[in-house]
Structures are given as C-alpha cells and as structure tokens.
C-alpha cells in the first residue's frame, strides 16, 4: 500500500516556520506583513478559497486586508484599486482571486499587479523569471508541489516526471520548475494534455506522476508504473447525497486503485491544496522581508 503524503501536516510545519520568522522580526520592531486579498463577487468556491487564505494569514501573523467588491464592479474600478495597492508601501503582496466575473479581462488585471507584489506568481514577469531561472515569485501551486516533495524526501534529480495538464497556473510553470538546474529540479519532464492521445504511453514511464487535469478518475491504476510517486492536484466535486453539502471533493486519480500500485500518493483533500496556501504565505513573508 502506498504511503500517504500528508500535505496538511507539511503545510502546517511550513506555516509554523513562517510564523516564527514573522514573530521574531515583529518583536524587534518591524511592522507586520500585509497581504491585500481582492475578491470580486460571491462565487462560492472563490469565497471558500479566500476564507482559507485569511485564516492562514491570521495563523502566520500576516495582516490580510479583505477587499471584497460587488460582482458588478467594473474593470476600470478594479484596476484603480490594484494601482492604489501597488503604490501603497504598507502592502507587501496583492492577490486578486481568480476567476473574475466575465465582464473583466483577467489578463489585464494580472498584468496590472506590480511584479514586486505578485505573490501569486501569475504575472508574466514572474513566469518569465521562472523560465530562465532568475529569482522571483514562484506560482504557489507548482512551488507547493515541489516543496511538498522535497519535505517528504522525494528526490527529483534524475527522475522522469510526467505531468498531465499544461495550464499556465499549474502544468507549464511546474514543468519549468522541475527542469530547473537546481537540487529542487534536474528532473526529466514529459507534459501531457488533452491531445496527447494514449496517456498511459507516457504516464507508465514516469517515476513521478502529477495529475493536474480537473477530471475525476482520469488517472487509473493501470496508468501508473509500480512504485511511482503520485501527486494529485485535481479538485473535483462529485455528487454525494450522504454528505450534508451534497457533494464530496475528489482528485483526478482513482485513489483506491492507485494506492495498490504507487509507493507514495497525495490525498484529495489534504494533499496539494494546503501547500498552495502555505506558499502564498511564504511569498508574502519574502516580499515583506525585502522592506527591511
Ligand atoms: P485547466 O482546466 O486550466 O487545465 C487542465 C489541463 O488538463 C489542460 O492542459 C487540458 O488539456 C488537460 N486535460 C483535460 N482533459 C484531459 C484529458 N482527458 N487527458 C489529458 N489531459 C487533459 O486546469 P488547472 O490547471 O487550472 O487545474 C487543474 C486541476 O487542478 C483542477 O481540478 C483544479 O481545481 C486543480 N487545482 C488545484 C489547486 C490546488 O491548490 N490544489 C490549484 C490549482 C488548480 P488542454 O490544454 O489540451 O486543454
């Protein structure tokens, strides 16, 4: 049976380390770190993600500025707010929760965030730096996946990693991180997507298989090389009348089946998700330390 990689515990120890750093510097007179969290509208999943981020901020000692705007907020108004936050020396990080309502152009909003406050790591400047190996903010989910593996003693160097999914927020940046000439990289990476054809041709070759698709059961036991490490990024709602809320969360991997084949596996929930938020805290604290 595969060993379960406990993302909740790994994220908790990272948050604890950050809390200690913040506490030490604030005790010696530095102002607290500040993260501006901008939410437009009331999409239930976004509200829940934002709530989790505020909670993590509280735990670490980061002041989170809750900027909840009406769903009808227009793009110009949002861009004005981001501009104010960019110029506010008391704000270390700016997070605009995506997706935005359809009448707002997400690209324009992401581009408007000052790269030095881009703690989500979505700005093209941050992604460009990642690609060429320059220091910058790393996107939270891909960096959280790497951190999760490193902290659970999974060696990346020389391994064949297969990522299923090529989005700009997970698959592509993750591939670049794992390719980096660094002890946290040096892997050989295959990236699959919806046009790859027979996925198992690639996935069965992988020492580490990472699923970031957004479809339940897309990875089954026969697609996994015996002894491989499986990281499940997917978060999917499936109907479940036995739950009070009427659904449960599952990943992209057939968890039960994969447990019989893999050596290690992340659960959903409790795997990659908590690491994403912990890396956001890490980026905010990093930005704040620069103002020392
Ligand atoms: P996207 O929808 O942007 O990307 C999905 C990718 O999967 C695309 O590259 C797509 O291919 C590929 N794909 C779709 N169907 C198939 C298939 N049948 N076979 C192979 N590839 C396929 O999703 P995201 O990257 O934003 O997110 C992926 C999942 O991860 C979602 O469930 C999301 O909720 C979750 N997530 C979890 C986070 C966390 O913190 N735990 C954070 C971010 C995301 P193509 O490019 O060809 O369309």
């Amino acid at each position: 049976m595969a060993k379960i990689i406990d993302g909740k515990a790994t994220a908790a120890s990272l948050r604890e380390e950050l809390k200690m750093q913040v506490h030490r510097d604030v005790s010696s007179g530095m102002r607290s770190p500040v993260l501006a969290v901008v939410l437009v509208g009331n999409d239930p999943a976004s509200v829940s993600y934002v709530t989790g981020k505020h909670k993590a901020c509280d735990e670490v000692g980061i002041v989170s500025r809750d900027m909840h705007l009406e769903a009808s907020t227009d793009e110009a108004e949002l861009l004005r707010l981001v501009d104010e936050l960019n110029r506010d020396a008391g704000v270390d990080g700016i997070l605009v929760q995506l997706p935005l309502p359809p009448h707002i152009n997400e690209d324009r909003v992401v581009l408007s965030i000052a790269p030095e406050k881009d703690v989500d790591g979505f700005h093209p400047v941050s992604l460009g730096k990642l690609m060429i190996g320059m220091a910058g903010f790393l996107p939270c989910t891909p960096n959280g996946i790497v951190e999760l593996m490193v902290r659970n003693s999974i060696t990346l160097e020389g391994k064949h990693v297969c990522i299923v999914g090529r989005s700009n927020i997970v698959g592509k940046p993750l591939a670049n991180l794992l390719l980096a000439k660094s002890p946290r990289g040096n892997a050989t990476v295959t990236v699959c997507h919806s046009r790859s054809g027979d996925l198992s041709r690639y996935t069965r070759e992988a020492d580490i298989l990472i699923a970031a698709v957004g479809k339940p059961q897309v990875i089954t036991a026969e697609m996994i090389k015996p002894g491989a490490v499986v990281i499940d990024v997917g978060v999917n709602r499936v109907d479940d009348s036995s739950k009070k809320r009427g659904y449960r969360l599952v990943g992209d991997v057939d968890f039960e089946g994969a447990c019989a084949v893999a050596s290690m596996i992340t659960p959903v929930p409790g795997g990659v998700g908590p690491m994403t938020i912990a890396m956001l805290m890490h980026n905010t604290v990093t930005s704040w330390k620069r103002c020392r």
Side-chain angles (χ1 to χ4, degrees):
M1 277 301 273
K3 177 178 175 238
I4 310 294
I5 303 169
D6 189 344
K8 248 170 125 172
T10 308
S13 60
L14 177 56
R15 287 197 307 272
E16 189 56 34
E17 288 164 29
L18 292 168
K19 180 181 169 178
M20 277 156 60
Q21 287 175 35
V22 170
H23 183 259
R24 190 190 54 221
D25 289 355
V26 169
S27 309
S28 60
M30 208 172 151
R31 70 157 170 82
S32 297
V34 175
L35 173 66
V37 181
V38 182
L39 172 64
V40 184
N42 292 299
D43 170 63
S46 295
V47 169
S48 140
Y49 288 137
V50 161
T51 305
K53 289 166 188 179
H54 287 305
K55 192 165 160 260
C57 281
D58 281 351
E59 201 184 316
V60 169
I62 295 171
V63 175
S64 58
R65 276 203 208 163
D66 186 2
M67 322 204 90
H68 195 166
L69 309 178
E70 299 282 329
S72 57
T73 303
D74 68 18
E75 189 179 306
E77 202 178 332
L78 178 58
L79 291 173
R80 261 196 310 277
L81 173 64
V82 172
D83 183 51
E84 268 171 37
L85 296 169
N86 283 340
R87 287 185 283 107
D88 185 338
V91 171
D92 303 295
I94 303 168
L95 176 146
V96 178
Q97 185 64 42
L98 302 180
L100 289 166
H103 64 276
I104 300 180
N105 181 311
E106 274 184 13
D107 288 348
R108 271 201 289 271
V109 173
V110 170
L111 268 170
S112 73
I113 297 172
E116 58 279 10
K117 296 190 180 184
D118 175 39
V119 287
D120 246 345
F122 291 164
H123 193 286
V125 167
S126 305
L127 292 170
K129 285 180 171 175
L130 158 60
M131 184 156 175
I132 59 173
M134 271 173 78
F137 290 118
L138 297 173
C140 301
T141 301
N143 198 28
I145 292 167
V146 173
E147 189 72 26
L148 183 63
M149 290 195 278
V150 169
R151 286 181 181 242
N152 285 277
S153 309
I154 297 164
T155 312
L156 292 162
E157 178 150 334
K159 296 286 170 61
H160 175 199
V161 183
C162 177
I163 303 169
V164 187
R166 58 173 166 183
S167 72
N168 290 334
I169 62 163
V170 188
K172 277 193 249 173
L174 179 58
N176 281 282
L177 271 178
L178 295 169
L179 276 177
K181 248 187 187 177
S182 122
R184 292 167 67 92
N186 285 333
T188 301
V189 183
T190 306
V191 183
C192 299
H193 45 79
S194 67
R195 306 298 175 97
S196 295
D198 176 17
L199 286 182
S200 49
R201 230 174 99 197
Y202 309 99
T203 57
R204 278 194 65 84
E205 295 294 314
D207 304 309
I208 300 172
L209 174 57
I210 305 179
V213 176
K215 291 183 180 162
Q217 307 275 336
V218 81
I219 304 294
T220 54
E222 6 358 300
M223 297 168 78
I224 301 167
K225 176 164 113 173
V229 171
V230 177
I231 307 288
D232 194 352
V233 189
V235 180
N236 307 294
R237 283 183 182 193
V238 297
D239 293 342
D240 186 341
S241 54
S242 71
K243 302 275 173 205
K244 218 161 78 187
R245 53 189 182 182
Y247 67 88
R248 72 194 146 90
L249 295 180
V250 299
D252 292 341
V253 178
D254 165 20
F255 186 77
E256 305 293 315
C259 276
V261 186
S263 60
M264 295 175 91
I265 188 165
T266 58
V268 177
V272 172
M275 290 304 292
T276 297
I277 299 188
M279 297 321 282
L280 174 68
M281 303 298 110
H282 166 83
N283 282 350
T284 306
V285 170
T286 303
S287 178
W288 165 72
K289 280 180 175 168
R290 287 197 222 138
C291 72
R292 263 200 278 236

